Amino acid sequence: MTVALSILDLADVGEDETVADALHASVALAEAAEELGYRRVWYAEHHNMTSIASAATSVLIAHVAAHTATIRLGAGGIMLPNHAPLTIAEQFGTLATLHPGRIDLGLGRAPGSDQATFRALRRDHAAADRFPEDVLELQGYLSGPSRVPGVEATPGRGTDVPLYILGSSLFGAQLAAALGLPYAFASHFAPQALQQAVATYRHGFRPSAQLDAPHVIAAVNVIAADDHAEAERELLATKRRRARLLFGRDRTLTTADLDAVLASPAGQQVEQMVRYTAAGTIEQVETYLAWFTEHADADELILASAGTSRGARLRSLELVAQAYGLTRRTDPAAQRVPGAGQPSG
């Protein structure tokens, strides 16, 4: 299997854990990913979610980068309508200056929150409509020339931080194609338009200074275990956790309640979210990932380790790395990859 493998770290806060526990665990996971030979680790911007600790995404990246040496790190993604492009350029320009050749910037346009949080973030309802223009403004600050006369990002200017467009619909696919940027599809929780979006992106792709050929990153949930029964237990626990997040925010749900939700029509929402999940022994997971790579027409897979315990998630990533013979990269220059700030030819 020649497809590149990366990791999406959801910075999960377990039921009996603190936010500090989750942040320390993200450092440990990135250290392990670097040792195992994964290409990159990404973190996502989510707000007002007690189960996710990556709201201050750039701060988390900075902390993890200071504890690792070679692995690429980035946002998967920053919800750009929540921010001024100049601010994000300065943040990621700072990261790239401190950790050259290691920083990625994935961009999405979803709020990453509920309506109350939307208001707390002081978001403008028209901000999502300005997303394409904001991406170009941000790109100008990082790679030049600036699209705002008299305004430069310092740090940021000349860092050429590579941009990635994230999405789960045709909008992101069309934008990434038009701008000549890599495209990452959120098939680990929003799988419906995967194949159509990737086909749209590849068909409409226009080469750019950053990228001369399409580069597709597809997200997939992974639960690899030493035996099939263990993987099935982890998969059920993962479904229960998602059901709790979707339907139990304001009430306490027992295990029996969660199983009843999963068995009801409402539970189909959870089943749809985990449609693309590789669960089983490493042989079963390897077979599934090979199928999914072809199904998604992907150049790179980003694995969302879906186990409910830290040990299970780390073991899953270890098994996948062993199966595909990943090796540690010791030279930061070797981490330069297609879509990372230079043509891929």
Side-chain angles (χ1 to χ4, degrees):
M1 183 178 183
T2 59
V3 66
L5 296 179
S6 298
I7 296 170
L8 176 64
D9 180 4
L10 298 176
D12 291 291
V13 182
E15 291 183 17
D16 298 319
E17 294 179 335
T18 66
V19 170
D21 292 332
L23 296 176
H24 293 318
S26 286
V27 172
L29 187 148
E31 291 173 333
E34 181 171 84
E35 194 67 35
L36 292 168
Y38 283 91
R39 172 168 285 181
R40 62 178 115 234
V41 182
W42 278 1
Y43 309 91
E45 177 187 351
H46 292 283
H47 298 283
N48 194 32
M49 297 185 69
T50 57
S51 60
I52 296 179
S54 53
T57 315
S58 59
V59 179
L60 177 56
I61 293 169
H63 182 64
V64 175
H67 287 79
T68 52
T70 60
I71 194 166
R72 297 192 68 89
L73 301 167
I78 290 292
M79 300 299 106
L80 193 53
N82 290 344
H83 312 275
L86 177 60
T87 300
I88 297 303
E90 291 166 342
Q91 290 176 6
F92 280 79
T94 300
L95 289 170
T97 300
L98 293 171
H99 308 283
R102 296 182 57 203
I103 302 301
D104 302 326
L105 178 47
L107 302 168
R109 66 170 185 150
S113 59
D114 54 34
Q115 284 300 309
T117 310
F118 180 99
R119 292 189 293 271
L121 288 167
R122 304 297 193 268
R123 274 194 56 156
D124 176 357
H125 282 280
D129 297 332
R130 296 194 302 269
F131 181 65
E133 291 78 11
D134 283 351
V135 172
L136 290 172
E137 182 181 336
L138 174 59
Q139 187 176 52
Y141 291 135
L142 295 169
S143 302
S146 173
R147 291 174 175 264
V148 182
V151 179
E152 301 285 354
T154 304
R157 181 181 181 184
T159 54
D160 296 322
V161 176
L163 304 184
Y164 299 73
I165 299 299
L166 278 57
S168 58
S169 68
L170 299 188
F171 177 89
Q174 292 165 344
L175 180 62
L179 298 182
L181 297 176
Y183 180 53
F185 192 90
S187 34
H188 64 300
F189 76 92
Q192 288 79 359
L194 171 62
Q195 289 184 296
Q196 186 180 5
V198 170
T200 297
Y201 168 69
R202 289 194 179 278
H203 178 74
F205 182 85
R206 300 175 186 173
S208 68
Q210 178 175 324
L211 193 64
D212 65 3
H215 187 80
V216 172
I217 303 174
V220 58
N221 299 297
V222 172
I223 302 175
D226 292 294
D227 65 76
H228 182 74
E230 181 183 351
E232 286 297 308
R233 288 192 295 272
E234 282 293 318
L235 178 58
L236 177 57
T238 296
K239 291 179 181 179
R240 286 170 175 164
R241 189 165 189 264
R242 296 205 179 192
R244 187 186 304 279
L245 291 173
L246 287 172
F247 305 109
R249 171 171 274 194
D250 299 319
R251 55 198 177 113
T252 300
L253 296 178
T254 65
T255 298
D257 293 333
L258 294 171
D259 288 343
V261 169
L262 290 173
S264 72
Q268 289 305 304
Q269 184 176 349
V270 175
E271 293 294 340
Q272 280 298 309
M273 290 175 71
V274 299
R275 180 196 303 180
Y276 293 128
T277 299
T281 64
I282 190 53
E283 292 81 12
Q284 293 170 317
V285 167
E286 188 175 5
T287 297
Y288 185 94
L289 292 181
W291 168 82
F292 178 75
T293 300
E294 182 176 356
H295 176 76
D297 195 12
D299 302 294
E300 179 176 344
L301 300 184
I302 190 160
L303 311 181
S305 184
T308 56
S309 73
R310 304 213 181 283
R313 288 196 289 270
L314 184 56
R315 181 58 178 159
S316 182
L317 296 173
E318 288 174 345
L319 289 170
V320 172
Q322 292 169 13
Y324 295 118
L326 300 184
T327 56
R328 186 184 182 200
R329 302 170 189 263
T330 57
D331 178 5
Q335 294 290 69
R336 301 289 286 179
V337 296
Q342 83 287 346
S344 62

